[in-house]
PDB file of all heavy atoms in Angstrom:
ATOM      1  N   ALA K   1     -78.151-115.173 131.374  1.00 87.00           N
ATOM      2  CA  ALA K   1     -78.340-115.447 129.967  1.00 87.00           C
ATOM      3  C   ALA K   1     -77.189-114.785 129.106  1.00 87.00           C
ATOM      4  O   ALA K   1     -77.057-115.105 127.920  1.00 87.00           O
ATOM      5  CB  ALA K   1     -79.696-115.056 129.499  1.00 87.00           C
ATOM      6  N   GLN K   2     -76.517-113.884 129.758  1.00 87.00           N
ATOM      7  CA  GLN K   2     -75.558-113.098 128.988  1.00 87.00           C
ATOM      8  C   GLN K   2     -74.503-114.049 128.259  1.00 87.00           C
ATOM      9  O   GLN K   2     -74.001-113.756 127.205  1.00 87.00           O
ATOM     10  CB  GLN K   2     -74.810-112.032 129.902  1.00 87.00           C
ATOM     11  CG  GLN K   2     -75.612-110.920 130.327  1.00 87.00           C
ATOM     12  CD  GLN K   2     -74.877-109.949 131.309  1.00 87.00           C
ATOM     13  OE1 GLN K   2     -74.208-109.028 130.633  1.00 87.00           O
ATOM     14  NE2 GLN K   2     -74.984-110.088 132.547  1.00 87.00           N
ATOM     15  N   TRP K   3     -74.121-115.094 129.048  1.00 87.00           N
ATOM     16  CA  TRP K   3     -73.144-116.037 128.455  1.00 87.00           C
ATOM     17  C   TRP K   3     -73.614-117.392 128.212  1.00 87.00           C
ATOM     18  O   TRP K   3     -72.890-118.282 127.843  1.00 87.00           O
ATOM     19  CB  TRP K   3     -71.914-116.101 129.526  1.00 87.00           C
ATOM     20  CG  TRP K   3     -72.311-116.244 130.896  1.00 87.00           C
ATOM     21  CD1 TRP K   3     -72.896-117.280 131.607  1.00 87.00           C
ATOM     22  CD2 TRP K   3     -72.335-115.091 131.904  1.00 87.00           C
ATOM     23  NE1 TRP K   3     -73.087-117.054 132.897  1.00 87.00           N
ATOM     24  CE2 TRP K   3     -72.780-115.720 133.081  1.00 87.00           C
ATOM     25  CE3 TRP K   3     -71.790-113.849 131.824  1.00 87.00           C
ATOM     26  CZ2 TRP K   3     -72.761-115.041 134.241  1.00 87.00           C
ATOM     27  CZ3 TRP K   3     -71.897-113.085 132.994  1.00 87.00           C
ATOM     28  CH2 TRP K   3     -72.391-113.589 134.287  1.00 87.00           C
ATOM     29  N   GLY K   4     -74.987-117.589 128.162  1.00 84.00           N
ATOM     30  CA  GLY K   4     -75.624-118.866 127.765  1.00 84.00           C
ATOM     31  C   GLY K   4     -75.216-119.968 128.642  1.00 84.00           C
ATOM     32  O   GLY K   4     -74.993-119.908 129.862  1.00 84.00           O
ATOM     33  N   GLY K   5     -75.101-121.116 128.001  1.00 82.00           N
ATOM     34  CA  GLY K   5     -74.698-122.368 128.659  1.00 82.00           C
ATOM     35  C   GLY K   5     -75.776-123.223 129.142  1.00 82.00           C
ATOM     36  O   GLY K   5     -75.574-124.257 129.856  1.00 82.00           O
ATOM     37  N   SER K   6     -77.040-122.846 128.819  1.00 83.00           N
ATOM     38  CA  SER K   6     -78.202-123.642 129.255  1.00 83.00           C
ATOM     39  C   SER K   6     -79.335-123.476 128.326  1.00 83.00           C
ATOM     40  O   SER K   6     -79.634-122.335 127.725  1.00 83.00           O
ATOM     41  CB  SER K   6     -78.585-123.113 130.673  1.00 83.00           C
ATOM     42  OG  SER K   6     -79.821-123.710 131.044  1.00 83.00           O
ATOM     43  N   SER K   7     -80.070-124.544 128.195  1.00 78.00           N
ATOM     44  CA  SER K   7     -81.356-124.391 127.385  1.00 78.00           C
ATOM     45  C   SER K   7     -82.454-123.508 127.973  1.00 78.00           C
ATOM     46  O   SER K   7     -83.327-123.210 127.313  1.00 78.00           O
ATOM     47  CB  SER K   7     -81.791-125.822 126.932  1.00 78.00           C
ATOM     48  OG  SER K   7     -82.206-126.530 128.149  1.00 78.00           O
ATOM     49  N   LEU K   8     -82.359-123.276 129.252  1.00 74.00           N
ATOM     50  CA  LEU K   8     -83.205-122.406 129.923  1.00 74.00           C
ATOM     51  C   LEU K   8     -83.006-120.981 129.655  1.00 74.00           C
ATOM     52  O   LEU K   8     -83.927-120.128 129.747  1.00 74.00           O
ATOM     53  CB  LEU K   8     -83.141-122.652 131.483  1.00 74.00           C
ATOM     54  CG  LEU K   8     -83.899-123.917 132.005  1.00 74.00           C
ATOM     55  CD1 LEU K   8     -83.850-123.877 133.470  1.00 74.00           C
ATOM     56  CD2 LEU K   8     -85.376-124.092 131.536  1.00 74.00           C
ATOM     57  N   THR K   9     -81.883-120.521 129.252  1.00 78.00           N
ATOM     58  CA  THR K   9     -81.661-119.155 128.939  1.00 78.00           C
ATOM     59  C   THR K   9     -81.179-118.944 127.510  1.00 78.00           C
ATOM     60  O   THR K   9     -81.152-117.773 127.143  1.00 78.00           O
ATOM     61  CB  THR K   9     -80.333-118.712 129.883  1.00 78.00           C
ATOM     62  OG1 THR K   9     -79.183-119.507 129.577  1.00 78.00           O
ATOM     63  CG2 THR K   9     -80.735-118.744 131.321  1.00 78.00           C
ATOM     64  N   ASN K  10     -81.084-119.969 126.721  1.00 73.00           N
ATOM     65  CA  ASN K  10     -80.623-119.727 125.250  1.00 73.00           C
ATOM     66  C   ASN K  10     -81.693-120.202 124.418  1.00 73.00           C
ATOM     67  O   ASN K  10     -82.093-121.428 124.365  1.00 73.00           O
ATOM     68  CB  ASN K  10     -79.400-120.617 124.949  1.00 73.00           C
ATOM     69  CG  ASN K  10     -78.862-120.314 123.627  1.00 73.00           C
ATOM     70  OD1 ASN K  10     -79.491-119.757 122.717  1.00 73.00           O
ATOM     71  ND2 ASN K  10     -77.570-120.713 123.319  1.00 73.00           N
ATOM     72  N   LEU K  11     -82.336-119.236 123.781  1.00 68.00           N
ATOM     73  CA  LEU K  11     -83.585-119.644 122.972  1.00 68.00           C
ATOM     74  C   LEU K  11     -83.209-120.380 121.743  1.00 68.00           C
ATOM     75  O   LEU K  11     -84.202-120.922 121.079  1.00 68.00           O
ATOM     76  CB  LEU K  11     -84.173-118.264 122.514  1.00 68.00           C
ATOM     77  CG  LEU K  11     -84.803-117.475 123.673  1.00 68.00           C
ATOM     78  CD1 LEU K  11     -85.506-116.142 123.058  1.00 68.00           C
ATOM     79  CD2 LEU K  11     -85.859-118.189 124.468  1.00 68.00           C
ATOM     80  N   ASP K  12     -81.960-120.475 121.367  1.00 71.00           N
ATOM     81  CA  ASP K  12     -81.556-121.236 120.188  1.00 71.00           C
ATOM     82  C   ASP K  12     -81.476-122.725 120.524  1.00 71.00           C
ATOM     83  O   ASP K  12     -81.294-123.632 119.663  1.00 71.00           O
ATOM     84  CB  ASP K  12     -80.249-120.803 119.611  1.00 71.00           C
ATOM     85  CG  ASP K  12     -80.265-119.396 119.110  1.00 71.00           C
ATOM     86  OD1 ASP K  12     -81.380-119.043 118.516  1.00 71.00           O
ATOM     87  OD2 ASP K  12     -79.254-118.717 119.150  1.00 71.00           O
ATOM     88  N   GLU K  13     -81.548-123.133 121.830  1.00 72.00           N
ATOM     89  CA  GLU K  13     -81.506-124.492 122.278  1.00 72.00           C
ATOM     90  C   GLU K  13     -82.924-125.025 122.471  1.00 72.00           C
ATOM     91  O   GLU K  13     -83.713-124.244 122.936  1.00 72.00           O
ATOM     92  CB  GLU K  13     -80.614-124.608 123.560  1.00 72.00           C
ATOM     93  CG  GLU K  13     -79.128-124.290 123.274  1.00 72.00           C
ATOM     94  CD  GLU K  13     -78.330-124.698 124.597  1.00 72.00           C
ATOM     95  OE1 GLU K  13     -78.663-125.722 125.347  1.00 72.00           O
ATOM     96  OE2 GLU K  13     -77.285-123.986 124.743  1.00 72.00           O
ATOM     97  N   THR K  14     -83.031-126.318 122.242  1.00 71.00           N
ATOM     98  CA  THR K  14     -84.349-126.942 122.486  1.00 71.00           C
ATOM     99  C   THR K  14     -84.453-127.549 123.919  1.00 71.00           C
ATOM    100  O   THR K  14     -83.529-128.183 124.356  1.00 71.00           O
ATOM    101  CB  THR K  14     -84.509-128.069 121.537  1.00 71.00           C
ATOM    102  OG1 THR K  14     -84.457-127.587 120.146  1.00 71.00           O
ATOM    103  CG2 THR K  14     -85.918-128.754 121.607  1.00 71.00           C
ATOM    104  N   LEU K  15     -85.521-127.223 124.515  1.00 66.00           N
ATOM    105  CA  LEU K  15     -85.724-127.839 125.880  1.00 66.00           C
ATOM    106  C   LEU K  15     -85.877-129.314 125.815  1.00 66.00           C
ATOM    107  O   LEU K  15     -86.704-129.824 125.034  1.00 66.00           O
ATOM    108  CB  LEU K  15     -86.962-127.062 126.587  1.00 66.00           C
ATOM    109  CG  LEU K  15     -86.749-125.650 127.019  1.00 66.00           C
ATOM    110  CD1 LEU K  15     -88.101-125.129 127.543  1.00 66.00           C
ATOM    111  CD2 LEU K  15     -85.807-125.656 128.170  1.00 66.00           C
ATOM    112  N   PRO K  16     -85.282-130.075 126.688  1.00 65.00           N
ATOM    113  CA  PRO K  16     -85.451-131.582 126.752  1.00 65.00           C
ATOM    114  C   PRO K  16     -86.888-131.919 127.225  1.00 65.00           C
ATOM    115  O   PRO K  16     -87.419-131.142 128.062  1.00 65.00           O
ATOM    116  CB  PRO K  16     -84.325-132.008 127.672  1.00 65.00           C
ATOM    117  CG  PRO K  16     -84.184-130.911 128.607  1.00 65.00           C
ATOM    118  CD  PRO K  16     -84.332-129.633 127.745  1.00 65.00           C
ATOM    119  N   GLN K  17     -87.332-132.993 126.791  1.00 64.00           N
ATOM    120  CA  GLN K  17     -88.761-133.414 127.036  1.00 64.00           C
ATOM    121  C   GLN K  17     -88.752-134.600 127.991  1.00 64.00           C
ATOM    122  O   GLN K  17     -89.724-135.019 128.459  1.00 64.00           O
ATOM    123  CB  GLN K  17     -89.526-133.535 125.812  1.00 64.00           C
ATOM    124  CG  GLN K  17     -89.685-132.290 124.889  1.00 64.00           C
ATOM    125  CD  GLN K  17     -90.337-131.278 125.603  1.00 64.00           C
ATOM    126  OE1 GLN K  17     -91.361-131.503 126.375  1.00 64.00           O
ATOM    127  NE2 GLN K  17     -89.788-129.957 125.490  1.00 64.00           N
ATOM    128  N   ALA K  18     -87.517-135.333 128.007  1.00 62.00           N
ATOM    129  CA  ALA K  18     -87.456-136.619 128.631  1.00 62.00           C
ATOM    130  C   ALA K  18     -87.264-136.616 130.217  1.00 62.00           C
ATOM    131  O   ALA K  18     -87.239-137.608 130.774  1.00 62.00           O
ATOM    132  CB  ALA K  18     -86.521-137.516 127.985  1.00 62.00           C
ATOM    133  N   GLY K  19     -87.052-135.354 130.723  1.00 59.00           N
ATOM    134  CA  GLY K  19     -86.677-135.293 132.100  1.00 59.00           C
ATOM    135  C   GLY K  19     -85.418-135.574 132.474  1.00 59.00           C
ATOM    136  O   GLY K  19     -84.505-135.805 131.553  1.00 59.00           O
ATOM    137  N   VAL K  20     -85.062-135.654 133.748  1.00 57.00           N
ATOM    138  CA  VAL K  20     -83.581-135.883 134.144  1.00 57.00           C
ATOM    139  C   VAL K  20     -83.325-137.311 133.881  1.00 57.00           C
ATOM    140  O   VAL K  20     -83.925-138.208 134.307  1.00 57.00           O
ATOM    141  CB  VAL K  20     -83.528-135.586 135.694  1.00 57.00           C
ATOM    142  CG1 VAL K  20     -82.116-135.845 136.216  1.00 57.00           C
ATOM    143  CG2 VAL K  20     -83.845-134.024 135.988  1.00 57.00           C
ATOM    144  N   GLN K  21     -82.100-137.515 133.310  1.00 60.00           N
ATOM    145  CA  GLN K  21     -81.601-138.958 133.025  1.00 60.00           C
ATOM    146  C   GLN K  21     -80.428-139.158 133.992  1.00 60.00           C
ATOM    147  O   GLN K  21     -79.696-138.372 134.353  1.00 60.00           O
ATOM    148  CB  GLN K  21     -81.104-138.948 131.515  1.00 60.00           C
ATOM    149  CG  GLN K  21     -82.111-138.527 130.544  1.00 60.00           C
ATOM    150  CD  GLN K  21     -83.263-139.444 130.491  1.00 60.00           C
ATOM    151  OE1 GLN K  21     -83.134-140.676 130.506  1.00 60.00           O
ATOM    152  NE2 GLN K  21     -84.481-138.887 130.442  1.00 60.00           N
ATOM    153  N   PRO K  22     -80.408-140.450 134.365  1.00 59.00           N
ATOM    154  CA  PRO K  22     -79.392-140.812 135.336  1.00 59.00           C
ATOM    155  C   PRO K  22     -77.922-140.605 134.894  1.00 59.00           C
ATOM    156  O   PRO K  22     -77.687-140.864 133.650  1.00 59.00           O
ATOM    157  CB  PRO K  22     -79.592-142.370 135.569  1.00 59.00           C
ATOM    158  CG  PRO K  22     -81.063-142.623 135.219  1.00 59.00           C
ATOM    159  CD  PRO K  22     -81.319-141.556 134.011  1.00 59.00           C
ATOM    160  N   HIS K  23     -77.066-140.040 135.685  1.00 63.00           N
ATOM    161  CA  HIS K  23     -75.713-139.848 135.426  1.00 63.00           C
ATOM    162  C   HIS K  23     -75.513-138.933 134.238  1.00 63.00           C
ATOM    163  O   HIS K  23     -74.525-139.066 133.517  1.00 63.00           O
ATOM    164  CB  HIS K  23     -75.018-141.224 135.186  1.00 63.00           C
ATOM    165  CG  HIS K  23     -75.318-142.304 136.147  1.00 63.00           C
ATOM    166  ND1 HIS K  23     -74.947-142.185 137.497  1.00 63.00           N
ATOM    167  CD2 HIS K  23     -75.968-143.394 136.059  1.00 63.00           C
ATOM    168  CE1 HIS K  23     -75.418-143.179 138.212  1.00 63.00           C
ATOM    169  NE2 HIS K  23     -76.023-144.050 137.360  1.00 63.00           N
ATOM    170  N   GLN K  24     -76.411-138.036 134.025  1.00 70.00           N
ATOM    171  CA  GLN K  24     -76.243-137.064 132.871  1.00 70.00           C
ATOM    172  C   GLN K  24     -76.762-135.649 133.421  1.00 70.00           C
ATOM    173  O   GLN K  24     -77.909-135.582 133.887  1.00 70.00           O
ATOM    174  CB  GLN K  24     -77.139-137.570 131.731  1.00 70.00           C
ATOM    175  CG  GLN K  24     -77.001-136.674 130.490  1.00 70.00           C
ATOM    176  CD  GLN K  24     -77.811-137.196 129.333  1.00 70.00           C
ATOM    177  OE1 GLN K  24     -78.104-138.317 129.260  1.00 70.00           O
ATOM    178  NE2 GLN K  24     -78.191-136.201 128.500  1.00 70.00           N
ATOM    179  N   ILE K  25     -75.972-134.751 133.298  1.00 79.00           N
ATOM    180  CA  ILE K  25     -76.334-133.339 133.689  1.00 79.00           C
ATOM    181  C   ILE K  25     -77.146-132.816 132.491  1.00 79.00           C
ATOM    182  O   ILE K  25     -76.595-132.699 131.409  1.00 79.00           O
ATOM    183  CB  ILE K  25     -75.065-132.388 133.851  1.00 79.00           C
ATOM    184  CG1 ILE K  25     -74.256-132.988 135.126  1.00 79.00           C
ATOM    185  CG2 ILE K  25     -75.443-130.964 134.120  1.00 79.00           C
ATOM    186  CD1 ILE K  25     -73.019-132.340 135.320  1.00 79.00           C
ATOM    187  N   PRO K  26     -78.423-132.488 132.762  1.00 76.00           N
ATOM    188  CA  PRO K  26     -79.268-132.008 131.636  1.00 76.00           C
ATOM    189  C   PRO K  26     -78.835-130.560 131.083  1.00 76.00           C
ATOM    190  O   PRO K  26     -78.251-129.867 131.708  1.00 76.00           O
ATOM    191  CB  PRO K  26     -80.573-132.027 132.273  1.00 76.00           C
ATOM    192  CG  PRO K  26     -80.339-131.781 133.735  1.00 76.00           C
ATOM    193  CD  PRO K  26     -79.006-132.345 134.047  1.00 76.00           C
ATOM    194  N   SER K  27     -79.352-130.384 129.803  1.00 75.00           N
ATOM    195  CA  SER K  27     -79.096-129.100 129.140  1.00 75.00           C
ATOM    196  C   SER K  27     -79.756-127.815 129.952  1.00 75.00           C
ATOM    197  O   SER K  27     -79.449-126.764 129.725  1.00 75.00           O
ATOM    198  CB  SER K  27     -79.524-129.107 127.829  1.00 75.00           C
ATOM    199  OG  SER K  27     -80.953-129.164 127.715  1.00 75.00           O
ATOM    200  N   THR K  28     -80.715-128.255 130.862  1.00 78.00           N
ATOM    201  CA  THR K  28     -81.331-127.135 131.619  1.00 78.00           C
ATOM    202  C   THR K  28     -80.604-126.703 132.782  1.00 78.00           C
ATOM    203  O   THR K  28     -81.066-125.842 133.513  1.00 78.00           O
ATOM    204  CB  THR K  28     -82.765-127.716 132.046  1.00 78.00           C
ATOM    205  OG1 THR K  28     -82.493-128.943 132.683  1.00 78.00           O
ATOM    206  CG2 THR K  28     -83.765-127.882 130.898  1.00 78.00           C
ATOM    207  N   TYR K  29     -79.578-127.368 133.087  1.00 82.00           N
ATOM    208  CA  TYR K  29     -78.594-126.841 134.159  1.00 82.00           C
ATOM    209  C   TYR K  29     -78.104-125.554 133.774  1.00 82.00           C
ATOM    210  O   TYR K  29     -77.525-125.231 132.658  1.00 82.00           O
ATOM    211  CB  TYR K  29     -77.485-127.881 134.364  1.00 82.00           C
ATOM    212  CG  TYR K  29     -76.271-127.355 135.107  1.00 82.00           C
ATOM    213  CD1 TYR K  29     -76.349-127.048 136.581  1.00 82.00           C
ATOM    214  CD2 TYR K  29     -75.054-127.006 134.456  1.00 82.00           C
ATOM    215  CE1 TYR K  29     -75.391-126.535 137.168  1.00 82.00           C
ATOM    216  CE2 TYR K  29     -74.020-126.436 135.220  1.00 82.00           C
ATOM    217  CZ  TYR K  29     -74.149-126.279 136.512  1.00 82.00           C
ATOM    218  OH  TYR K  29     -73.069-125.703 137.311  1.00 82.00           O
ATOM    219  N   VAL K  30     -78.208-124.521 134.644  1.00 83.00           N
ATOM    220  CA  VAL K  30     -77.782-123.227 134.434  1.00 83.00           C
ATOM    221  C   VAL K  30     -76.437-123.018 135.225  1.00 83.00           C
ATOM    222  O   VAL K  30     -76.436-123.053 136.404  1.00 83.00           O
ATOM    223  CB  VAL K  30     -78.766-122.066 134.871  1.00 83.00           C
ATOM    224  CG1 VAL K  30     -78.203-120.658 134.641  1.00 83.00           C
ATOM    225  CG2 VAL K  30     -80.093-122.269 134.107  1.00 83.00           C
TER     226      VAL K  30
END
């Protein structure tokens, strides 16, 4: 979490609710 880059480690980002979308790397990727 020191350098962020993911909604799983950055509390300022919103976690996605729609699940994994085809051909799209989700924001929860760390």
Side-chain angles (χ1 to χ4, degrees):
Q2 291 183 83
W3 41 77
S6 170
S7 60
L8 282 187
T9 58
N10 188 344
L11 296 178
D12 293 330
E13 294 188 31
T14 302
L15 287 172
Q17 302 299 319
V20 176
Q21 303 299 312
H23 312 297
Q24 179 180 340
I25 297 177
S27 69
T28 51
Y29 164 71
V30 179

